[in-house]
Amino acid sequence: MRISLQQANHLLQKGKIVAVPTETVYGLAASLNHPHAIDQIFLRKGRPSNNPLIVHLANSNHLNMYAHSLPADTEKLIAAFWPGPLTLVLQANRSLIPENVRAGLPTAAFRTPSHPLIQQLLESSGPLVMPSANLSGKPSATHWEHVEADFGKEFPVLDGGACQHGLESTILHHSQDNWQVIRVGTVTPEELLPVLGYLPQVVAPNEKSVPICPGQLYRHYAPKAQLHLCSSAVLCRGVVLGFPERVYPHATRMIPLGTLSNPSSVAEKLYAILRQLDEENISEASIDMELPSNGLWVTIAERLSRAARC
Ligand code: TXA
Ligand code: MG
């Protein structure tokens, strides 16, 4: 059910959860001041309670109230990327960030989103805690219709149109004097290089040790269809998620992911295309994974790989 900005604010103040647009993906929001509503987020999504949530702030003005000891270059990162799709994991002020948000960790993740509607909402609502507005494991929602498909027609959603980027924020944490990427996302390491003066290392999730970014361990972004990752276009068959500039010998049907010359356009539509497979009851599909290995393509390849994980 589509609601106005005023209704969204009213529901949040009453301790309810609502779906809201951001420039990356839609979020499932609760007020930071309503721990019970935050519990509801975990329940409605079917999200494991050991997977912490991002705190969304209207701006960075009070960041040093919510987080302790900001590491080197925090201000540079904020000046370059906020408002926008960059999330920073910082030592949390535990008296202001409830335990359930942090999943018991001493840290919390923070970002200031840039979508004009969420910016306006945050100005009146105060900090909002939100994961992506999808059922746990499913592709994130990039249109209000996706939220409705996962949570039902009665679920309140603020319609902000199609999300500009279509992939989640990049998450950084600080370790041993350097920032590291713990979730690849919309902001690429190449874009971080001129700000930090070094290319931040991308830390792959390690299933044997305690994960730095708990959410990275789960199968995610997945439609019901079984997905086959093909290292070359010639290996694709059946329904193929591919590119119009390529020829697919065994393809009975090619669903274009976008064009190889424009990764942003691929990112923007990626989750809608994965959801389309479910809408059409497609049970199996091949994905052309012969992708460039730089910039946003790294994030696109990571999301597709995790969608295909069993
Ligand atoms: O673009 C985005 O980031 C979207 C929009 C709605 O802002 N949000 C989003 O939230 O993707 P979610 O919950 O789907 O993913 C958040 C990720 C999870 O993988 C979680 O494990 C990680 O952030 N995370 C949250 N707090 C953390 C912390 N203190 N330390 C490490 N990872 C953390
Ligand atoms: Mg998510």
Side-chain angles (χ1 to χ4, degrees):
M1 179 180 48
R2 283 189 282 174
I3 56 169
S4 66
L5 193 69
Q6 288 70 21
Q7 287 169 314
N9 191 30
H10 182 66
L11 288 168
L12 289 163
Q13 301 310 325
K14 283 202 327 191
K16 304 281 183 203
I17 59 176
V18 298
V20 297
T22 84
E23 73 283 11
T24 58
V25 298
Y26 275 74
L28 197 59
S31 163
L32 184 66
N33 301 323
H34 285 278
H36 173 71
I38 297 165
D39 283 338
Q40 287 301 311
I41 287 182
F42 285 94
L43 283 174
R44 284 303 293 259
K45 266 185 77 90
R47 182 180 178 104
S49 58
N50 64 356
N51 192 5
L53 306 173
I54 300 173
V55 179
H56 294 71
L57 304 170
N59 52 52
S60 63
N61 291 354
H62 301 296
L63 183 63
N64 56 8
M65 191 172 95
Y66 293 105
H68 292 307
S69 59
L70 305 184
D73 297 331
T74 305
E75 272 155 30
K76 279 193 205 166
L77 288 167
I78 287 173
F81 295 104
W82 283 16
L86 187 73
T87 296
L88 302 177
V89 173
L90 303 166
Q91 292 302 316
N93 178 344
R94 298 191 206 187
S95 60
L96 292 182
I97 313 285
E99 175 104 15
N100 56 358
V101 173
R102 297 179 278 111
L105 296 171
T107 55
F110 298 92
R111 97 173 180 98
T112 290
S114 66
H115 190 292
L117 279 182
I118 185 69
Q119 275 271 318
Q120 276 186 61
L121 183 61
L122 284 164
E123 291 291 347
S124 43
S125 68
L128 295 175
V129 172
M130 48 178 166
S132 49
N134 52 279
L135 292 173
S136 230
K138 295 258 273 172
S140 301
T142 51
H143 291 261
W144 70 270
E145 291 96 329
H146 299 161
V147 178
E148 196 178 275
D150 279 13
F151 296 101
K153 288 200 182 305
E154 296 308 311
F155 195 84
V157 48
L158 179 60
D159 176 9
C163 298
Q164 179 198 347
H165 296 299
L167 295 175
E168 297 79 359
S169 63
T170 299
I171 306 183
L172 297 185
H173 96 147
H174 196 259
S175 172
Q176 294 170 349
D177 292 335
N178 278 327
W179 289 93
Q180 297 179 327
V181 176
I182 57 172
R183 177 178 75 180
V184 292
T186 293
V187 175
T188 63
E190 291 91 331
E191 288 170 311
L192 290 159
L193 170 64
V195 178
L196 292 174
Y198 57 90
L199 198 64
Q201 192 195 348
V202 178
V203 187
N206 178 349
E207 309 208 1
K208 294 201 182 74
S209 63
V210 177
I212 308 173
C213 184
Q216 290 301 90
L217 282 188
Y218 301 107
R219 181 175 193 242
H220 207 336
Y221 319 111
K224 289 191 202 114
Q226 200 183 342
L227 300 176
H228 306 285
L229 301 178
C230 303
S231 55
S232 154
V234 293
L235 298 173
C236 294
R237 58 199 69 221
V239 173
V240 175
L241 303 188
F243 301 94
E245 34 298 58
R246 295 235 171 99
V247 178
Y248 298 97
H250 303 291
T252 52
R253 178 181 171 203
M254 196 272 285
I255 301 177
L257 283 168
T259 149
L260 284 163
S261 59
N262 187 354
S264 299
S265 71
V266 176
E268 196 191 322
K269 303 249 160 28
L270 193 68
Y271 294 137
I273 290 170
L274 293 176
R275 284 174 173 270
Q276 186 188 335
L277 298 177
D278 281 354
E279 283 155 24
E280 294 189 26
N281 284 318
I282 292 171
S283 58
E284 241 178 297
S286 300
I287 307 180
D288 180 356
M289 291 294 283
E290 200 180 334
L291 305 173
S293 56
N294 63 332
L296 202 52
W297 290 110
V298 175
T299 307
I300 293 165
E302 193 264 354
R303 300 299 195 265
L304 287 171
S305 303
R306 288 190 50 210
R309 201 189 271 179
C310 295

